[in-house]
Amino acid sequence: MSTKLRVTVWGENVHEKKDPVVAKIYPNGMHGCIAAALGTDAQLTVRTATLDQPEHGLTKEVLDNTDVLTWWGHAAHGKVEDAIVDRVQERVLQGMGLIVLHSGHYSKIFKRLLGTTCSLTWREAGEKERIWVCNPGHPIAQGIDKYFEIDQEEMYGEPFAIANPDEVVFISWFQGGEVFRSGCTFKRGNGKIFYFRPGHEVYPTYHHPTVQRVILNAVHWARPEGSRWIDSAPNVPADKAPEKIVARGPALHKPGEAGFH
Amino acid sequence: MSTKLRVTVWGENVHEKKDPVVAKIYPNGMHGCIAAALGTDAQLTVRTATLDQPEHGLTKEVLDNTDVLTWWGHAAHGKVEDAIVDRVQERVLQGMGLIVLHSGHYSKIFKRLLGTTCSLTWREAGEKERIWVCNPGHPIAQGIDKYFEIDQEEMYGEPFAIANPDEVVFISWFQGGEVFRSGCTFKRGNGKIFYFRPGHEVYPTYHHPTVQRVILNAVHWARPEGSRWIDSAPNVPADKAPEKIVARGPALHKPGEAGFH
Amino acid sequence: MSTKLRVTVWGENVHEKKDPVVAKIYPNGMHGCIAAALGTDAQLTVRTATLDQPEHGLTKEVLDNTDVLTWWGHAAHGKVEDAIVDRVQERVLQGMGLIVLHSGHYSKIFKRLLGTTCSLTWREAGEKERIWVCNPGHPIAQGIDKYFEIDQEEMYGEPFAIANPDEVVFISWFQGGEVFRSGCTFKRGNGKIFYFRPGHEVYPTYHHPTVQRVILNAVHWARPEGSRWIDSAPNVPADKAPEKIVARGPALHKPGEAGFH
Amino acid sequence: MSTKLRVTVWGENVHEKKDPVVAKIYPNGMHGCIAAALGTDAQLTVRTATLDQPEHGLTKEVLDNTDVLTWWGHAAHGKVEDAIVDRVQERVLQGMGLIVLHSGHYSKIFKRLLGTTCSLTWREAGEKERIWVCNPGHPIAQGIDKYFEIDQEEMYGEPFAIANPDEVVFISWFQGGEVFRSGCTFKRGNGKIFYFRPGHEVYPTYHHPTVQRVILNAVHWARPEGSRWIDSAPNVPADKAPEKIVARGPALHKPGEAGFH
């Protein structure tokens, strides 16, 4: 690991180019806005990557040099190539942090790591969202008051069809009457995963200082802490067993032969 | 749910036909042996399904009428069609129990539900395995002493690259010096999942009465308990919000339009 | 286990006797109201127990014959004797279900099983509470729509200082703007624990049919499933080890001597 | 938090003074041996505290200035005053790390945080223990090979009656045939807790370089990461609610009155 934490901000970058409302709010893309906010922290080196780049900007070299990846996608989840999803998953299992934002709940990588559909209910009415802190001492909640508000947001409501999270850090209250587990932590392999709800593209959510603070906190929280263990299902032949044993009985594999994968 | 618990025993059924050692131990297939053991319980209706059948024997009709599915595969994980894996996953999320046996740790369905590689170390030396009960009061451990032994088994050793289990019910001690989390519970959606380690095909493991007892206990433990919730990401239009709100600001979707998936 | 599920409804029974508002709503005590609701299920045998009875009505004989215990207390948590709390904890670890209601979050037994302070924020303003189902397929949520409302309730708000729950089944939305994890599951030993938020004594909450339904569902969900394992830290002398070993080196204990507790 | 991580090594210090075998192995006490090993890390400031000191050496001032506490006790768990256990628990919930060693499984503080009996089986025969790494990428397992061995140790065997751990980092294989979850992580409040099995006082276990390495890794892993949140069950009066509401209906408490604890 370098001395600085290396962050890659991934953005789908579709609506920013097609939809004038979105383009006006995010002239440098949503990824550009998020990267700029993270870039104010001198402990981080931040780069961006987008769907339209070769390998979606997530080459092996880029991911090998990424400590934490943030992910925003919405309209084009299906266009993300499976081979790239494989590569991201492998790095998460090795310990790379992953911050999944808003509509990224339906991204291939999030569904693959959780094993569930990740569905929810929704409404696009520009209503008020109040996000409550469930654990004020949690690293991701530092510098935030008891709650913060976003004046206009899309509503996401329960049931949120996720695998049970390790911890619920935020829960949202919506003006229209719904609630949602808006900040959830998970671990897969050695990768720390944080899902954070806000961020509908037609509102200036990623310009909101508290939203930026949460993402920054989450990036630090999700930093890799151990080594990059590459698991490989190694065969341990009988003569290399920790205790002395003599192989006996029938066998499917010849000594030293690889197993089925 | 019918009054009887409906169990489908899935078997890859490859080595039973190719390898004379396996064929001799399991003349009716490993699935046949497991199904016969479960069939002695009058509370169950048991059927089998195998890879070589149309749709691998797991048609929509079969799965719709399955409360608990057991899964054994080894050499041909890659031949299981993704569409069938999708179907099994959907039923697990709806509440169907899933018992994954031995080399099924590398099956597509287990890896998909867990989100990890599920790798481990292994040795085929016909050594002794002693399986310890970590929680004698657990339903899956009923009728079993402090431990039970299998005279000859393949060794599976840690690290076992799984998502953290909800509970570890069994841990194995191997003569050659390794250990393994041999009985682990998970939940995805409303489906209860149990991984149970023993069952290498060249040994008569599924004839072992205690192994049969564990699988029977697990089938009962994994029975569906709630309803089959079909999640669907419904839109809740502003005029149907629980609290009266007026939509305001820009929007990406027209009222009533479906979201992106 | 008898063929019927044996439920004991424990009530503090203090405000019902002191406060005319409470007495009017619950002339037979809150425990009486809850017990009557559960009593309509022919699969249950229901009895009540209260603080003012000898041993708070929770004698060894009563607890030995209780499959699921429900607990409501508020003003007199400190008057519950530690010896009785020990006894309840022991039975939970053995597999007795425990349903903790409303202000029972501060009961000795709940705090002891969770290891945390279980604090929260609160407001007594008779405001509307809307309780959302986070997992419609969960056994505790059966027969309930997407949400249900209680016209007047006390507000409990996050942060709720609990150990991370296994699953969050319900989340509340309050008219005053707060949210709360209102239905949480835990497991300690073999005992299933469910915390359910509603039930402030000055409102007729336990007369609400959906609240009654949730408690009934939870009682069924929390039923004991395995055996009553009594853990005892047994010594296994060297000559009784599963593998033949010869004791060597210094020792603190003489052979067969009990360990420190 | 100071720039250095402040560690307090707590030792019961009973057998070191009474038993000549123990005194010879640990002339400065077991706590002295552990503190010396941790003291080689320039990132730590290490002090010790023992049962026989006033307030067991754990005054409010000491705990307020402790980031991570390690705990070894065996013969005198009952002599630890409840008021000191309260104080340690409060600091753990605030985020202080806690490393519980060997027979500390029966300490008041560990049982209180877990809510279970923490019992196990045991044998004092000086047998070989082989400790396997379940997750080689975990921070606590860094610098350790696939396994390490301790030539002579007390056996601890399953069932280990703990609340389900967040992660199992180590599992032990014993020469006499047992297994044990030897390295387990938990979280209560914001405190990270690690239980580590080895360390029977009649063997030189805490002189073992790999055992020292694990404790050092665990101390770094358990460092506080967020703020010291003091939860306090605050009342939020109706006129301070985030949404405008008017209190209605009966009430138990007068406006602004404290709740029951």
Coordinates of all heavy atoms in Angstrom, one line a residue, chain D residues 11-39:
Chain D
G11 N -3.4 -8.0 34.4 CA -3.1 -9.4 34.8 C -3.7 -9.6 36.2 O -3.6 -8.8 37.1
E12 N -4.2 -10.8 36.4 CA -4.7 -11.2 37.7 C -3.6 -11.3 38.7 O -3.7 -10.9 39.9 CB -5.4 -12.6 37.5 CG -6.1 -13.0 38.7 CD -6.8 -14.4 38.4 OE1 -6.1 -15.4 38.6 OE2 -7.9 -14.4 37.9
N13 N -2.4 -11.8 38.3 CA -1.2 -11.8 39.1 C -1.3 -12.6 40.4 O -0.8 -12.2 41.4 CB -0.8 -10.4 39.4 CG 0.7 -10.3 39.8 OD1 1.5 -11.1 39.5 ND2 1.0 -9.3 40.6
V14 N -2.0 -13.7 40.3 CA -2.2 -14.5 41.5 C -1.3 -15.7 41.5 O -0.4 -15.9 42.3 CB -3.7 -15.0 41.6 CG1 -3.8 -16.1 42.7 CG2 -4.6 -13.8 42.0
H15 N -1.4 -16.5 40.4 CA -0.5 -17.7 40.3 C 1.0 -17.4 40.2 O 1.8 -18.2 40.7 CB -1.0 -18.6 39.2 CG -2.2 -19.4 39.4 ND1 -3.3 -19.3 38.6 CD2 -2.6 -20.1 40.5 CE1 -4.3 -20.0 39.1 NE2 -3.9 -20.5 40.3
E16 N 1.2 -16.3 39.6 CA 2.7 -15.9 39.5 C 3.3 -15.7 40.9 O 4.5 -15.9 41.1 CB 2.8 -14.5 38.8 CG 2.4 -14.5 37.4 CD 1.0 -14.1 37.1 OE1 0.1 -14.4 37.9 OE2 0.7 -13.4 36.1
K17 N 2.5 -15.4 41.9 CA 3.0 -15.2 43.3 C 2.9 -16.5 44.1 O 3.7 -16.6 45.1 CB 2.3 -14.0 43.9 CG 2.6 -12.7 43.2 CD 2.0 -11.5 44.0 CE 0.5 -11.5 43.9 NZ -0.1 -10.3 44.5
K18 N 2.0 -17.3 43.8 CA 1.7 -18.5 44.6 C 2.4 -19.8 44.1 O 2.8 -20.7 44.9 CB 0.2 -18.8 44.6 CG -0.6 -18.0 45.6 CD -2.0 -18.5 45.6 CE -2.9 -17.7 46.5 NZ -4.3 -18.0 46.3
D19 N 2.5 -19.9 42.8 CA 2.9 -21.2 42.2 C 4.3 -21.1 41.7 O 4.6 -20.3 40.8 CB 1.9 -21.6 41.1 CG 2.1 -22.9 40.5 OD1 3.3 -23.2 40.1 OD2 1.2 -23.7 40.5
P20 N 5.3 -21.9 42.2 CA 6.7 -21.7 41.8 C 6.9 -22.0 40.4 O 7.8 -21.4 39.7 CB 7.4 -22.7 42.7 CG 6.4 -23.5 43.4 CD 5.1 -22.9 43.3
V21 N 6.1 -22.9 39.8 CA 6.3 -23.2 38.3 C 6.0 -21.9 37.5 O 6.7 -21.5 36.6 CB 5.4 -24.3 37.9 CG1 5.4 -24.5 36.4 CG2 5.8 -25.7 38.6
V22 N 4.9 -21.3 37.9 CA 4.4 -20.1 37.1 C 5.4 -19.0 37.4 O 5.8 -18.2 36.5 CB 3.0 -19.7 37.5 CG1 2.6 -18.5 36.8 CG2 2.0 -20.9 37.3
A23 N 5.8 -18.8 38.6 CA 6.8 -17.7 39.0 C 8.1 -17.8 38.2 O 8.7 -16.8 37.9 CB 7.0 -17.8 40.5
K24 N 8.5 -19.1 38.0 CA 9.8 -19.3 37.3 C 9.7 -18.9 35.8 O 10.6 -18.3 35.3 CB 10.2 -20.7 37.4 CG 11.6 -20.9 37.0 CD 12.1 -22.4 37.3 CE 13.5 -22.5 36.7 NZ 13.9 -24.0 36.7
I25 N 8.5 -19.2 35.2 CA 8.3 -18.9 33.8 C 8.1 -17.4 33.6 O 8.6 -16.8 32.7 CB 7.1 -19.7 33.3 CG1 7.3 -21.2 33.4 CG2 6.9 -19.3 31.8 CD1 6.1 -22.0 33.0
Y26 N 7.4 -16.8 34.6 CA 7.0 -15.4 34.4 C 7.5 -14.6 35.7 O 6.6 -14.2 36.5 CB 5.5 -15.3 34.3 CG 5.0 -15.9 33.0 CD1 4.2 -17.1 33.0 CD2 5.2 -15.3 31.7 CE1 3.7 -17.6 31.9 CE2 4.8 -15.9 30.6 CZ 4.0 -17.0 30.6 OH 3.5 -17.6 29.5
P27 N 8.8 -14.4 35.8 CA 9.3 -13.7 37.0 C 8.7 -12.3 37.2 O 8.6 -11.8 38.3 CB 10.8 -13.7 36.8 CG 11.0 -14.0 35.4 CD 9.9 -14.8 34.9
N28 N 8.3 -11.7 36.1 CA 7.7 -10.3 36.1 C 6.2 -10.4 35.9 O 5.5 -9.4 35.6 CB 8.3 -9.4 35.0 CG 9.8 -9.3 35.2 OD1 10.3 -9.1 36.3 ND2 10.5 -9.4 34.1
G29 N 5.6 -11.6 36.1 CA 4.2 -11.7 35.9 C 3.9 -12.0 34.5 O 4.7 -11.6 33.6
M30 N 2.8 -12.6 34.2 CA 2.3 -12.8 32.8 C 2.1 -11.4 32.2 O 2.4 -11.2 31.0 CB 1.1 -13.7 32.8 CG 1.3 -15.0 33.5 SD -0.3 -16.0 33.6 CE -0.2 -16.7 31.9
H31 N 1.5 -10.5 32.9 CA 1.3 -9.2 32.4 C 2.6 -8.5 32.0 O 2.7 -7.8 31.0 CB 0.5 -8.3 33.4 CG 1.1 -8.3 34.8 ND1 1.0 -9.4 35.7 CD2 1.9 -7.4 35.4 CE1 1.7 -9.1 36.8 NE2 2.2 -7.9 36.6
G32 N 3.6 -8.8 32.9 CA 4.9 -8.2 32.6 C 5.5 -8.7 31.3 O 6.1 -8.0 30.5
C33 N 5.3 -10.0 31.1 CA 5.8 -10.6 29.8 C 5.1 -10.1 28.6 O 5.7 -9.7 27.6 CB 5.6 -12.1 29.9 SG 6.1 -13.1 28.5
I34 N 3.8 -10.0 28.7 CA 3.0 -9.5 27.6 C 3.3 -8.0 27.3 O 3.5 -7.6 26.2 CB 1.5 -9.7 27.9 CG1 1.1 -11.2 27.9 CG2 0.6 -8.9 26.8 CD1 -0.3 -11.5 28.5
A35 N 3.4 -7.2 28.4 CA 3.7 -5.8 28.2 C 5.1 -5.6 27.6 O 5.3 -4.7 26.7 CB 3.6 -5.1 29.6
A36 N 6.0 -6.4 28.0 CA 7.4 -6.3 27.4 C 7.4 -6.6 25.9 O 8.0 -5.9 25.1 CB 8.4 -7.2 28.1
A37 N 6.6 -7.6 25.5 CA 6.5 -7.9 24.1 C 5.8 -6.8 23.3 O 6.3 -6.4 22.3 CB 5.7 -9.2 23.9
L38 N 4.8 -6.3 23.8 CA 4.1 -5.2 23.1 C 5.0 -3.9 23.1 O 4.9 -3.1 22.2 CB 2.7 -4.8 23.8 CG 1.7 -5.9 23.7 CD1 0.4 -5.5 24.5 CD2 1.3 -6.2 22.3
G39 N 5.8 -3.7 24.2 CA 6.6 -2.6 24.3 C 7.7 -2.4 23.2 O 8.2 -1.3 23.1

